[in-house]
Amino acid sequence: MPRRTKEEAAQTRAVLLSTAMRLYAERGVNAVSLKEIAAACGVTHGALYWHFRNRDDLLQQLYLVANHPFELQYIEQRQSAKQDPLQALQDYLLGVVRVFVQHPEACQAYRLFFASAVPVELATLQPQIEEDLQQIVEHIHYFLKQAKKKKQLRKKLPLNPTSEVLAGVLHSLVQSVVRMPPQQASIEAAQLLSGILLDGLRA
């Protein structure tokens, strides 16, 4: 049998990752074997182990390549926050929701890694997952801190608990998208809710 090219190997790896993400997100990690993932991709069990040492390695690689839009949306809105922090915050919230509406693979990743308490089978990833979840709170805190400097917020508004609450709202919005077929109405609902919440914070 001829040796596979690097391009063919990369393509097989990508198919293994996308198939594993889909099956794990649909049924849960413990309900899907590595042999089943290999069969669904049309490759041998051994071929999967050529790309990934074990299930933990596969999950680690899935987490690394998954579409986690929070950091990217934060970076995109940092510059805008210098002019209008509360508008930048709303654009951040809506930008995250929009990614999940438009990209089913992002919904799969969220369902697997963030939708509930970290299951035991993801224990090796727990520190990274918890760190990334905390970063979402820090993103929101940054926008609120900038808004406070510009006197956009109500006096004596506590930034830390407010950041936690808004992060919880964002996760609720994302979970509503993840649980149902993506639709434009989800973005419109997020825009309405985020507008109401942020209006309540304004000075």
Side-chain angles (χ1 to χ4, degrees), residues 31 110 137-138 178 182 190 197:
Y110 188 90
V137 179
E138 292 171 5
V178 169
L197 289 174

Side-chain angles (χ1 to χ4, degrees), residues 75-92:
I75 292 171
E76 288 189 359
Q77 297 304 326
R78 273 187 64 98
Q79 186 65 32
S80 299
K82 295 179 180 180
Q83 283 74 45
D84 189 342
L86 282 185
Q87 183 60 54
L89 173 55
Q90 185 173 23
D91 290 342
Y92 164 78

